[in-house]
Amino acid sequence: LRVAQKAIIVACVIGGAYTMRNYWGLVWGGMLGTALSVAISYAMFPYRPRLTLSRYRDFIGFSFWTMLLSFATYVA
């Protein structure tokens, strides 16, 4: 999996640099390669968790208290 991910990222970066012919091609190629490697990892291992909003209230509640604690630590 890691070899395939690195090969995809390298191919996207080289393709982006060749297509755009400036440094932005490297940036866009890197982002595309990373997105494709994440998609391939989900395709290769179907037991990974899926993105869902079914428990968003728990997540928001946890995030709020974590942010509040970080802010209090910063102020103190």
Side-chain angles (χ1 to χ4, degrees), residues 25-45:
L26 299 175
V27 173
W28 287 106
M31 289 192 308
L32 177 65
T34 302
L36 287 175
S37 67
V38 169
I40 286 177
S41 72
Y42 272 90
M44 289 180 73
F45 300 106

Side-chain angles (χ1 to χ4, degrees), residues 3-48:
V3 172
Q5 286 177 332
K6 296 297 180 188
I8 288 170
I9 291 172
V10 167
C12 287
V13 167
I14 291 173
Y18 181 76
T19 303
M20 297 184 78
R21 299 195 188 268
N22 60 17
Y23 65 92
W24 283 109
L26 299 175
V27 173
W28 287 106
M31 289 192 308
L32 177 65
T34 302
L36 287 175
S37 67
V38 169
I40 286 177
S41 72
Y42 272 90
M44 289 180 73
F45 300 106
Y47 60 87
R48 290 192 182 210

Side-chain angles (χ1 to χ4, degrees), residues 59-73:
F59 179 71
I60 296 296
F62 176 77
S63 298
F64 173 75
W65 289 111
T66 304
M67 180 189 66
L68 193 64
L69 180 64
S70 296
F71 182 71
T73 303

